[in-house]
Amino acid sequence: MNAFRKLGRVAGIAFTLLAAAPAIAATCGNDASGFERWLGEFRREAAGAGISASALRALDGVTYSTQVIGLDRNQKHFSVPFEQFVANRVTKGRIAKGKQMLKQYAGPLARIEQRFGVPGTILVAIWGMETDFGANSGKMPVFRSLATLAYDCRRTEFFTAQLLDALRIVQRGDLSIGQMRGAWAGELGQTQFMPSSYVKYAVDFSGDGHADLIGNPVDVLASTANYLKAYGWQRGADYHQGGGNFQALLGWNKAVNNARAIGLFADKLAQ
């Protein structure tokens, strides 16, 4: 999934720090020269915002990434016909794999639909389109990516919130520091949650004590359903363009073609 679409879907979420937390005011910069100073300032202010010393160890050795900055500066906004958009996303191979996943996770998907109202075909379609069912979740160090983008002056407020919530994911024990790898802009897990969405919507549906969106498909599917429910998903409503659930799919990803593709994928999975 293109990062600009992923960021666009969460840019409107209101992010809040802990009630007594001070504002994070470390000085941003546009090259690597001030990064170490910024990181030291951020660490002190994050500690004041309630981040534990053990979680802050995630920032040990973190360096500025010119690769991440390059990727951020070179995003391409393409508008393509729907048929072209779905050609490499809703493929025969993915449909076949998706049907296998529907059978493999039939029990959990039924319980997820009972709780959140989202059918398994929609969840499996999103799973397939986002990361090819977990095969391509990303391997970049999330803390390096987020620290670089939080320091960068372009969108420092947004990514500072993401970095704080990435630390909270570690602090609450959902993922270890070593597990925090994902896409270049900090997206995590098999359906690519930004950290603030992870903190807000991830659920421990498997009951093992951790909301693991990297290694536990049951948590992945349930958390994706929880996200959609929070964006207004209505049990049983139509999810195609013009239907009651199409806006929830746009809450997942603001690109109309993407929402339409999810619906098409789900339809094919149901056949």
Side-chain angles (χ1 to χ4, degrees):
M1 179 57 56
N2 291 338
F4 74 84
R5 293 194 180 103
K6 186 67 61 172
L7 299 181
R9 85 178 191 206
V10 295
I13 298 173
F15 301 114
T16 56
L17 304 181
L18 299 178
I24 303 297
T27 304
C28 68
N30 293 314
D31 57 44
S33 61
F35 181 77
E36 289 298 324
R37 182 177 65 254
W38 173 88
L39 189 62
E41 293 174 358
F42 174 85
R43 291 181 75 122
R44 289 188 293 273
E45 294 171 353
I51 303 300
S52 67
S54 60
L56 283 169
R57 285 201 293 269
L59 301 178
D60 292 352
V62 166
T63 57
Y64 182 83
S65 174
T66 55
Q67 179 189 10
V68 168
I69 294 298
L71 288 166
D72 184 59
R73 297 294 190 268
N74 290 285
Q75 296 179 67
K76 305 297 183 183
H77 294 245
F78 292 117
S79 178
V80 299
F82 178 68
E83 292 74 16
Q84 183 178 342
F85 182 86
V86 299
N88 294 322
R89 292 170 173 84
V90 185
T91 64
K92 290 182 179 180
R94 279 189 180 164
I95 293 165
K97 180 72 171 179
K99 289 183 177 182
Q100 292 177 15
M101 295 297 101
L102 283 172
K103 292 179 180 178
Q104 182 174 342
Y105 293 97
L109 285 168
R111 295 192 297 273
I112 290 167
E113 183 171 5
Q114 182 178 27
R115 177 170 169 183
F116 298 105
V118 185
T121 50
I122 287 287
L123 300 175
V124 170
I126 290 172
W127 190 17
M129 284 180 55
E130 289 288 350
T131 66
D132 208 9
F133 309 102
N136 299 306
S137 297
K139 298 181 180 180
M140 295 185 70
V142 163
F143 287 106
R144 188 183 190 202
S145 292
L146 292 176
T148 297
L149 292 167
Y151 163 69
D152 183 61
C153 292
R154 185 178 180 207
R155 287 177 289 177
T156 186
E157 184 176 354
F158 176 81
F159 280 105
T160 295
Q162 299 300 325
L163 180 55
L164 282 166
D165 278 330
L167 291 166
R168 292 186 178 107
I169 291 168
V170 171
Q171 181 166 296
R172 73 185 191 181
D174 288 334
L175 298 173
S176 68
I177 293 171
Q179 288 177 303
M180 296 288 285
R181 290 180 172 269
W184 69 263
E187 304 96 323
L188 281 162
Q190 296 189 32
T191 53
Q192 299 284 273
F193 276 41
M194 291 299 292
S196 291
S197 293
Y198 198 122
V199 167
K200 194 168 185 179
Y201 302 119
V203 294
D204 170 25
F205 202 76
S206 65
D208 65 358
H210 308 283
D212 178 3
L213 304 192
I214 288 180
N216 190 325
V218 173
D219 287 356
V220 169
L221 295 165
S223 299
T224 304
N226 190 36
Y227 188 114
L228 290 172
K229 183 179 180 181
Y231 273 83
W233 188 274
Q234 304 168 45
R235 186 185 302 271
D238 185 12
Y239 49 75
H240 298 96
Q241 194 165 14
N245 282 326
F246 195 73
Q247 286 300 314
L249 293 179
L250 291 177
W252 175 260
N253 185 308
K254 68 177 184 177
V256 171
N257 274 351
N258 193 79
R260 291 181 62 196
I262 291 170
L264 175 64
F265 200 160
D267 289 345
K268 290 186 177 295
L269 290 174
Q271 292 174 357

